[in-house]
Amino acid sequence: MQPITEHTGRCVALRRSDVDTDQIIPAEFCKRLTKTGYEDTLFAGWRKDPGFVLNDPAHAGATVLVAGHNFGTGSSREHAVWALRDWGFRAVIASSFGDIFLRNAWKNGLLAVRLPEDVVADLADRADAASGPSSPSTWSPARCVETACGRPFRSTTAPGGCCSTVWTTSA
Amino acid sequence: MATGYTLAEKVWQSHVVHEAENEPDLLYVDLHLVHEASSPQAFDGLRSAGRRVRRPELTLAVEDHNVPTDTTVITDLMGRHQVETLRRNCAEQGIEIFPLGDSRQGIVHVVGPERGFVQPGMTVICGDSHTSTHGAFGALAFGVGTSDVEHVLATQTLALARPKTMAVEFTGEPSPDVTAKDLILALIAHIGANGAHGHVIEYRGPAVRRLSMEGRMTMCNMSVEAGARAGMIAPDDTTFAYLADRPHSPRGADWDTAVEFWRSMCTDPGAVFDRIVTIDVSALTPFVTWGTNPGQAVPLTGAVPDPSSVSDGAERASAERALSYMDLVPGTSMRDIAVDTVFIGSCTNGRLEDLREAAAVLAGRRVAPNVRMLVVPGSMEVRRAAEEQGLHRVFLAAGAQWRLSGCSMCMGMNADRLPGSERVASTSNRNYEGRQGPQARTHLVSPAVAAATAVAGHLAAPADLPGRESDAADH
């Protein structure tokens, strides 16, 4: 596991709520016996749509996924976290998460960041604006966050140091 | 101020083996259920760390996710490889396994209880979200991912943050056509697909007390669809009657001691829940889902909702997207929605009582032309018991398929998947996009509604059906 203590990366907004782990990785890909190599499986169903946000070259290389509430609901498949990680995501920001997804994210060093709904919406807007071909804007909302450390906390320093110490994003 | 403990707190506290400030509690695990889909990487991890399974005798493995239900030969190579890997891992670690073809094989959440492995006051872990099922016995049962499976295999413990508690009080007397499935679908529609986030639910009230163990398992099974960490029901005489004489239940004096202890597994009168939700079920009617998460449900007598009437922006967008995927028009009567397939089975509704309810509707009737109906028993033991009661003859005479046991069409991991954008009335637990086939459209229903739908060809309750052929012959 690659520990995450600080991360700077570009955001991409997935403007959907209740994104379940069946969407993150369909069950057919959960027959594999490995813990790695799932980059081709992430949102496999939705990626068949050329208009799906992750198919947009403007978002290539994004490492932070900004999503609607209740992200990762449903099945306990840890493959969902492996797929996000293998695609290149280091963090997911949402106003709420599925409980089992949170634990799985924690176990694999994928930072799951809970922020208030309006802040998430603001981040999503900024991510969309920053991805335009002629708008290479810079923004860095350093945020005090609540992460999935087995117990939530609101601090820039994790008690016990299990997850992030400082969280910054910039485009 | 609390002067007692909730059921969840009692079970939790009696399993803490280590606690410290600012750390999650370390809980002892009484029963670890394992299946082929979430375990291979866990066993690999164990091997690469040079560890053994700490308590193989507290671990039980079954094959369910990948198995076909029309044969005992797995033709899918990857599926077969996963199943064979489980067999090898269990042989290597001395874990009991109920493999495909074994008379005890079936869905993990059906097999565990029916063999008597799951008992009140236990902690139960499985690498599957529907582990919440086992809370029906007053056990504290959590679904976990593969890393946690490995942790339990290695240590028989799990580090967990103490959950919040939530009481769901069902008040009023439900009408006879309202099943456990309708109660839980109505609850999730009421509180939302994440409405119990971070909480262990305890289901309470006379309507819950009257449920059979099968009904209680249906209800606890879908706790996770409300976002709950677990669901529980305090054990009572119904629980003890179910457990009596199961292969792994205590016997003789041990039984008496066990029952005495089990009776203490209830919420004390002075206990305080973090949250209480009250639902009056006296006016409830059968519920069905219209959307793509289990919270998107309405009474069968209702209509497809209009997203423009939803005030919350995210919920409105979600509803619009769901209707587009489901190819439904707002205002359409739910009863006017025609289906291609009906699926009865899964860890939610694949038990004997579920099959009996479906058979009672189907007896003397036929599945509508152009509708395919699969009946998949939750375990081979359920199948045997159903055949003993002649239920299979009712299904076959109606034109339904009578299958072997497995997760089947609940979750799109085996051969039982819907082609194209077929629409299905399903007794399973998730109506997600693509869950039952890449473009499948799922309506979650009870077994009785599923059976009536199969006959009518569109979503229907048993009361909607015309008389039976046999009734007509009588006049």
Side-chain angles (χ1 to χ4, degrees):
Chain A
M1 181 176 94
Q2 193 184 355
I4 182 165
T5 53
E6 181 172 341
H7 179 68
T8 302
R10 280 194 297 120
C11 297
V12 56
L14 176 62
R15 292 177 177 278
R16 297 181 190 183
S17 52
D18 298 304
V19 173
D20 58 78
T21 53
D22 277 71
Q23 308 313 315
I24 300 172
I25 178 170
E28 63 190 280
F29 301 112
C30 300
K31 296 179 188 178
R32 300 181 185 179
L33 304 178
T34 58
K35 267 189 177 182
T36 55
Y38 287 88
E39 55 275 11
D40 58 321
T41 66
L42 183 70
F43 295 118
W46 288 352
R47 279 199 294 119
K48 288 176 189 157
D49 170 10
F52 182 60
V53 65
L54 291 191
N55 289 331
D56 182 349
H59 292 297
T63 55
V64 179
L65 186 68
V66 181
H69 67 78
N70 201 19
F71 185 85
T73 185
S75 156
S76 65
R77 61 191 69 169
E78 199 159 314
H79 311 67
V81 169
W82 300 334
L84 285 160
R85 177 203 60 196
D86 291 351
W87 176 272
F89 286 115
R90 299 301 316 280
V92 183
I93 300 175
S95 61
S96 60
F97 291 90
D99 267 329
I100 306 175
F101 177 87
L102 269 184
R103 283 187 66 81
N104 290 340
W106 172 39
K107 295 269 179 172
N108 288 276
L110 177 76
L111 194 60
V113 185
R114 272 191 292 248
L115 289 173
E117 196 103 30
D118 59 326
V119 179
V120 175
D122 179 49
L123 282 171
D125 288 345
R126 286 162 183 258
D128 282 351
S131 73
S134 62
S135 57
S137 62
T138 300
W139 52 279
S140 52
R143 299 280 183 182
C144 170
V145 298
E146 190 178 12
T147 62
C149 292
R151 60 194 174 280
F153 66 94
R154 255 181 208 291
S155 158
T156 50
T157 306
C162 57
C163 278
S164 75
T165 52
V166 179
W167 169 255
T168 60
T169 57
S170 66
Chain B
M1 165 129 184
T3 56
Y5 296 99
T6 65
L7 167 60
E9 288 165 344
K10 284 183 184 177
V11 182
W12 184 282
Q13 203 52 48
S14 63
H15 287 81
V16 173
V17 293
H18 175 78
E19 62 187 326
E21 202 175 343
N22 287 331
E23 281 182 31
D25 289 349
L26 195 62
L27 283 195
Y28 195 76
V29 176
D30 293 322
L31 176 65
H32 187 195
L33 300 168
V34 174
H35 64 82
E36 77 274 18
S38 63
S39 65
Q41 297 88 350
F43 283 106
D44 272 352
L46 214 58
R47 252 190 304 273
S48 64
R51 298 186 172 113
R52 304 263 321 157
V53 173
R54 185 168 177 86
R55 295 295 299 273
E57 74 280 13
L58 301 183
T59 312
L60 173 71
V62 300
E63 299 168 3
D64 57 5
H65 281 62
N66 274 300
V67 304
T69 59
D70 55 350
T71 166
T72 52
V73 179
I74 308 177
T75 52
D76 174 73
L77 279 181
M78 290 188 76
R80 191 165 79 201
H81 196 190
Q82 205 172 56
V83 163
E84 287 169 349
T85 300
L86 178 68
R87 290 177 194 175
R88 263 200 317 278
N89 284 330
C90 288
E92 183 185 309
Q93 299 287 345
I95 293 170
E96 183 169 29
I97 181 170
F98 298 159
L100 180 62
D102 189 288
S103 64
R104 301 162 298 177
Q105 179 266 342
I107 306 172
V108 64
H109 307 309
V110 176
V111 169
E114 84 182 357
R115 306 293 304 173
F117 284 102
V118 180
Q119 295 164 18
M122 277 187 163
T123 48
V124 181
I125 295 290
C126 177
D128 190 280
S129 57
H130 291 111
T131 306
S132 58
T133 308
H134 309 289
F137 291 82
L140 194 48
F142 298 111
V144 298
T146 298
S147 294
D148 281 339
V149 169
E150 181 180 339
H151 193 280
V152 177
L153 288 173
T155 66
Q156 203 61 27
T157 65
L158 196 58
L160 286 167
R162 197 174 280 258
K164 288 182 271 200
T165 58
M166 175 174 173
V168 172
E169 303 272 0
F170 290 101
T171 62
E173 170 102 14
S175 79
D177 62 342
V178 169
T179 67
K181 185 65 162 283
D182 303 308
L183 294 174
I184 190 67
L185 284 175
L187 171 70
I188 301 168
H190 180 62
I191 65 174
N194 204 22
H197 177 253
H199 291 75
V200 171
I201 300 175
E202 183 182 332
Y203 300 101
R204 298 157 63 88
V208 175
R209 286 288 133 225
R210 272 195 293 278
L211 288 176
S212 65
M213 286 315 295
E214 284 90 339
R216 295 177 189 188
M217 283 189 260
T218 299
M219 184 168 269
C220 289
N221 172 278
M222 289 192 72
S223 304
V224 66
E225 313 309 339
R229 290 181 59 184
M232 301 180 90
I233 295 171
D236 58 14
D237 288 341
T238 304
T239 319
F240 311 144
Y242 178 97
L243 284 169
D245 300 324
R246 301 269 161 186
H248 287 264
S249 292
R251 296 185 190 283
D254 289 346
W255 170 262
D256 297 333
T257 309
V259 170
E260 192 186 337
F261 167 65
W262 293 345
R263 286 196 193 280
S264 72
M265 289 291 109
C266 60
T267 291
D268 296 329
V272 174
F273 289 94
D274 294 306
R275 205 176 144 204
I276 297 176
V277 172
T278 302
I279 290 200
D280 179 7
V281 296
S282 49
L284 203 67
T285 54
F287 250 66
V288 295
T289 62
W290 54 266
T292 53
N293 76 56
Q296 294 175 322
V298 291
L300 177 60
T301 53
V304 176
D306 187 344
S308 66
S309 66
V310 180
S311 54
D312 179 81
E315 290 303 322
R316 186 167 58 245
S318 170
E320 282 166 355
R321 187 179 160 76
L323 288 190
S324 166
Y325 180 84
M326 293 295 288
D327 193 28
L328 292 174
V329 177
T332 305
S333 165
M334 292 307 293
R335 281 198 181 97
D336 287 343
I337 297 172
V339 303
D340 305 291
T341 295
V342 169
F343 169 64
I344 292 184
S346 84
C347 59
T348 311
N349 279 127
R351 298 183 180 81
L352 185 60
E353 178 183 88
D354 301 313
L355 303 190
R356 269 204 299 262
E357 285 175 6
V361 176
L362 279 177
R365 295 188 166 113
R366 299 269 316 161
V367 174
N370 307 322
V371 171
R372 174 174 65 141
M373 181 177 190
L374 276 76
V375 183
V376 183
S379 70
M380 291 306 288
E381 171 57 24
V382 168
R383 183 180 152 98
R384 186 201 60 74
E387 291 189 347
E388 198 173 275
Q389 296 179 18
L391 303 184
H392 64 308
R393 282 195 289 275
V394 174
F395 294 126
L396 291 168
Q401 300 174 23
W402 177 240
R403 297 287 192 116
L404 304 173
S405 182
C407 295
S408 187
M409 200 176 270
C410 175
M411 44 75 73
M413 199 165 173
N414 50 70
D416 300 345
R417 290 166 25 126
L418 289 170
S421 52
E422 273 201 13
R423 190 179 297 279
V424 58
S426 177
T427 66
S428 54
N429 40 56
R430 289 187 172 139
N431 51 343
Y432 299 156
E433 289 182 33
R435 174 83 176 176
Q436 298 187 280
Q439 287 150 338
R441 295 168 176 147
T442 300
H443 296 275
L444 300 178
V445 298
S446 71
V449 168
T453 298
V455 173
H458 54 82
L459 292 176
D464 300 331
L465 299 179
R468 302 167 201 259
E469 287 166 30
S470 55
D471 296 343
D474 288 343
H475 295 290

